[in-house]
Amino acid sequence: MKKQRKFTVMTITYASFFIGLSVVINTLRIGNLSFSGFPIIFSGYVLGPVMGFVVGLLADILAFIVRPAGFPFNPVFTFTSALTGMIPVLITTILGDDYPDYKFWKILIGVFIGQVITSVIMTPYLMSVIYGKYTFWYLMIQSAIKQAVSIPIYAVLIKIVWDRMKYIVHID
């Protein structure tokens, strides 16, 4: 039976670390290139899908405060960031892996599905509908190219870092 991870001071501490890391990485972005999604996705694997959702939500809000984008703040995009922390670990769990033992190929599939839903489909669609600056297809292709690089990097980093950390990080 799957054991539920608890909401503790340790969980909040780790979540704060992931939020801060995501905000810092977001401020270091070059143009549209940023790897701020990594700490959000990783937080879902370490802390569970609910806390991954919360980390994505708060990281997006704080990142906008620290470094505002060219567009006005829109909570719909914050929702996509929150889903970024939730979907990959849910998919990995559906494929049969539970905390803390995740297989690389299941992480890769989870990250792939999560990033395709949030970054390749949702964000371009919302940007084209809300701001009307570019067409959906143009934004989607641009995002798909970026994610073709990001997804394998995220999956490899999650597997490597988690395999080193799972023996010292105890969230249960």
Side-chain angles (χ1 to χ4, degrees):
M1 180 163 193
K2 186 175 154 183
K3 186 178 177 184
Q4 290 291 333
R5 287 172 268 181
K6 297 176 183 170
F7 190 71
T8 64
V9 172
M10 186 66 75
T11 303
I12 295 169
T13 303
Y14 282 120
S16 301
F17 170 76
F18 289 125
I19 291 166
L21 186 60
S22 180
V23 170
V24 168
I25 292 172
N26 186 55
T27 60
L28 299 175
R29 70 178 183 236
I30 301 167
N32 288 333
L33 185 61
S34 171
F35 291 99
S36 60
F38 171 73
I40 295 170
I41 295 169
F42 191 61
S43 73
Y45 282 100
V46 175
L47 305 173
V50 173
M51 284 305 292
F53 185 90
V54 171
V55 167
L57 184 91
L58 295 175
D60 187 71
I61 293 168
L62 289 174
F64 186 83
I65 291 169
V66 171
R67 184 177 182 196
F71 299 108
F73 180 77
N74 192 320
V76 176
F77 293 106
T78 301
F79 181 68
T80 62
S81 180
L83 289 175
T84 297
M86 181 182 224
I87 293 172
V89 71
L90 286 178
I91 298 298
T92 303
T93 304
I94 289 168
L95 292 173
D97 277 0
D98 282 329
Y99 172 88
D101 299 313
Y102 302 116
K103 292 179 183 60
F104 173 74
W105 71 270
K106 292 179 183 180
I107 292 171
L108 183 63
I109 292 171
V111 173
F112 175 80
I113 292 172
Q115 290 301 95
V116 166
I117 290 170
T118 59
S119 296
V120 177
I121 297 171
M122 286 180 72
T123 300
Y125 176 75
L126 293 168
M127 286 186 72
S128 66
V129 169
I130 294 170
Y131 302 117
K133 192 171 182 180
Y134 300 104
T135 67
F136 167 69
W137 294 106
Y138 171 78
L139 294 170
M140 189 176 91
I141 291 168
Q142 187 180 33
S143 181
I145 292 167
K146 179 187 175 238
Q147 291 307 317
V149 174
S150 298
I151 290 168
I153 291 172
Y154 287 174
V156 167
L157 285 175
I158 288 166
K159 183 62 177 164
I160 290 171
V161 174
W162 184 241
D163 281 350
R164 303 306 183 272
M165 286 181 56
K166 70 181 177 184
Y167 299 108
I168 57 172
V169 175
H170 299 285
I171 304 299
D172 297 328

